């Protein structure tokens, strides 16, 4: 059976079906392309926002004036070149714990944080066994907003960022006073992420990552410190005869 144009109705139906499938494929391709373009625009806005924050930070970096704790120099001819690893993780700067709420057993605020770090530096100084040190920054150095999105850090999130950078400067400068070189290794945590739920690629770019980026810029002209930022969530390094795996856990 043929139609008015002399084309088989069976062939005509087959061509119509094929044309319909091609039209659907074209529409799906258009939808996917629009979705990808929207995602690219979102990631561009996120990267642009981070760049602006870092740009402002660089312009005002001289405002940071941390107070260094006293460091006692120790001499030991038996030290190795590398070997010491010091961890800085889960400082949760910005956490505000009232002494009365915990019966005085675990009060925490900026002032307490500085005291704890000063005590930690003193212990490191007395146990130094190598000329150089690996700083294992395992993330979550600020409280973040993982608690239902509530921004209730001491003085606000921006204040926590400033205090965290200040405290990191105190720690790094103290390590530079004790050791000859620093191999700084950063991995992402969980409390310092940008939201309760991961909503974009590159989740390692959290608030702790932002703090590390600020430190990288602060120590640009300090040849004794080298920064390594992991995108995978871990570092595997060799120290003398040992292999050391660094991750947030």
């Amino acid at each position: 059976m043929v139609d008015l144009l002399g084309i088989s109705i069976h062939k005509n139906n087959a061509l119509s079906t094929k044309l319909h499938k091609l039209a659907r494929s074209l529409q799906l391709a258009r939808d996917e392309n629009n979705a990808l373009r929207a995602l690219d625009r979102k990631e561009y806005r996120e990267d642009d926002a981070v760049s602006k924050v870092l740009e402002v930070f660089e312009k005002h970096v001289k405002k940071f004036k941390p107070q260094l704790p006293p460091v006692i120099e120790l001499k030991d001819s038996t030290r190795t070149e590398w070997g010491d690893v010091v961890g800085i993780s889960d400082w949760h700067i910005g956490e505000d714990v009232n002494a009365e709420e915990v019966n005085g057993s675990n009060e925490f605020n900026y002032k307490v944080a500085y005291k704890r770090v000063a005590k930690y530096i003193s212990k490191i100084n007395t146990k130094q066994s190598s000329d150089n040190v690996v700083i294992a920054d395992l993330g979550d150095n600020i409280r973040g907003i993982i608690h239902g999105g509530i921004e209730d850090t001491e003085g606000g999130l921006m204040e926590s960022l400033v205090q965290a950078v200040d405290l990191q400067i105190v720690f790094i400068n103290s390590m530079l006073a004790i050791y000859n070189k620093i191999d700084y290794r950063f991995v992402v945590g969980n409390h310092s992420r940008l939201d309760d739920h991961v909503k974009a690629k590159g989740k390692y770019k959290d608030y702790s990552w932002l703090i590390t980026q600020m430190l990288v810029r602060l120590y640009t002209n300090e040849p004794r410190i080298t920064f390594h930022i992991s995108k995978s969530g871990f570092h595997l390094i060799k120290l003398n005869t040992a292999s050391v795996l660094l991750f947030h856990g």
Side-chain angles (χ1 to χ4, degrees), residues 109-234:
N109 50 44
Y110 295 136
K111 186 177 180 180
V112 173
Y114 274 87
K115 288 182 179 179
R116 290 185 181 181
V117 171
K119 185 177 180 179
Y120 184 39
I121 292 169
S122 179
K123 286 186 176 181
I124 293 171
N125 195 26
T126 60
K127 296 181 180 295
Q128 180 189 6
S129 61
S130 65
D131 293 328
N132 307 316
V133 66
V134 173
I135 293 181
D137 183 347
L138 307 183
D140 286 0
N141 292 323
I142 67 170
R143 181 179 186 273
I145 53 174
I146 197 176
H147 309 281
I150 301 175
E151 296 185 19
D152 60 346
T153 59
E154 185 180 357
L157 182 59
M158 294 299 108
E159 176 68 19
S160 294
L161 284 169
V162 173
Q163 292 285 352
V165 172
D166 239 359
L167 200 51
Q168 292 277 65
I169 294 171
V170 169
F171 185 80
I172 291 175
N173 285 353
S174 297
M175 293 303 100
L176 286 172
I178 298 172
Y179 294 94
N180 295 333
K181 295 180 182 178
I182 293 175
D183 183 19
Y184 195 104
R185 300 275 172 167
F186 169 79
V187 299
V188 69
N190 64 315
H191 276 265
S192 52
R193 64 191 184 210
L194 306 182
D195 206 332
D196 285 343
H197 305 286
V198 179
K199 296 181 179 179
K201 294 184 293 185
K203 70 171 187 175
Y204 69 96
K205 292 182 179 179
D206 63 358
Y207 289 117
S208 288
W209 173 85
L210 180 61
I211 291 169
T212 306
Q213 289 295 321
M214 294 176 178
L215 295 174
V216 170
R217 285 155 176 76
L218 279 165
Y219 291 96
T220 298
N221 298 321
E222 177 50 80
R224 295 182 296 158
I225 181 169
T226 305
F227 289 90
H228 302 275
I229 299 175
S230 170
K231 296 181 180 180
S232 64
F234 70 89

